[in-house]
Amino acid sequence: MKLKIITFVLFLFSLNTYAAGPGFDDVTQTDLDNISKEFAANFVHRPIAPASSLGAIFGFEVGLVAGLTDASKIGEITKRTDPTESDPLDKLIHAGVLGSVSVPFGITGEVILLPEQNLGDVDISNFSLGIKWTLDSILPIPFVDVAIRGHYSSGELSFSDTVDAVNTKVSLENTTTGVTLLASAGLMIIEPFVGVGYVTRESTLAATGAAQIFDTTFTTAKSSTVDGSSAQIIVGAQLNLLFMKVGAQYESVFDTSVTSAKLTFGF
């Protein structure tokens, strides 16, 4: 049932976001780095959760997360590749089924899963996980929680494109790892939170067939890999309503802006 719901959510996003897939041709080293930054930002583990645990002994939540990532550089590359494109892809979607469980000692495990989905011209999938340690036992602060989260993600996006009059399958595989320091305040049912972190990325852009998507002064290979790192800034809030949680978050990472929301149920 949840997979049907997430597919519907993605479909609603895709009506405008993926009206056309990206277009890559004559990709330079700078282009590849910009593509990597925006895709990496989109796939970072993102549970949209404060520093607090879900319960001193036990707690869980299950639900949906979704949002949009600015992809202005990808839009510029797409427009350069095809100047006639009236609506170049300049936003990326991220979404998934979220599951989190808290156990004693302030430990919370988090998983976000998006099985492969077909959105018009684009196939997208993502898997990420995190482990959060809420430091109440060693850093007690009234009305404030502090936590450290380590996280990992793996995402893939692929699409068909016509490059030099040749039908070409283009794929982008991306992984990120990072650590984030979180702080949140329990203000009745509202729980605002902030976070700062450090995230690394590795992306591989590849094409099958006879076409060449890279600028030959950069590489003549069929695939190329780039990596990098970035500071991370998070600002968000969670609304706690009995068995339901509603969250929203803004994030800046890899020079890219990301807005996200979640709806979960649990106790």
Side-chain angles (χ1 to χ4, degrees), residues 190-208:
I190 300 291
E191 199 168 358
F193 58 89
V194 295
V196 294
Y198 177 80
V199 187
T200 65
R201 61 182 164 90
E202 182 175 283
S203 306
T204 299
L205 180 65
T208 60

Side-chain angles (χ1 to χ4, degrees), residues 24 27-41 73-74 77 172 174 201-205 214 218 224-230 253-256:
F24 297 150
V27 175
T28 67
Q29 186 169 11
T30 299
D31 289 340
L32 180 58
D33 197 50
N34 287 330
I35 292 167
S36 170
K37 285 180 178 180
E38 292 178 345
F39 275 113
K73 296 296 184 182
I74 291 174
I77 296 168
L172 181 77
N174 182 86
R201 61 182 164 90
E202 182 175 283
S203 306
T204 299
L205 180 65
F214 297 106
F218 166 41
S224 186
T225 299
V226 65
D227 56 25
S229 61
S230 169
V253 63
F254 299 120
D255 302 320
T256 303

Side-chain angles (χ1 to χ4, degrees), residues 215-263:
D215 185 327
T216 54
T217 63
F218 166 41
T219 180
T220 58
K222 294 296 183 182
S223 67
S224 186
T225 299
V226 65
D227 56 25
S229 61
S230 169
Q232 176 192 42
I233 299 174
I234 295 171
V235 179
Q238 179 171 278
L239 182 64
N240 302 311
L241 300 172
L242 293 178
F243 301 110
M244 182 173 70
K245 300 180 189 297
V246 180
Q249 174 180 297
Y250 168 82
E251 182 177 351
S252 176
V253 63
F254 299 120
D255 302 320
T256 303
S257 297
V258 186
T259 54
S260 312
K262 79 169 181 179
L263 174 64

Side-chain angles (χ1 to χ4, degrees), residues 136-149:
D136 285 357
S137 60
I138 63 173
L139 191 64
I141 304 174
F143 308 109
V144 175
D145 290 296
V146 177
I148 297 174
R149 173 187 290 126

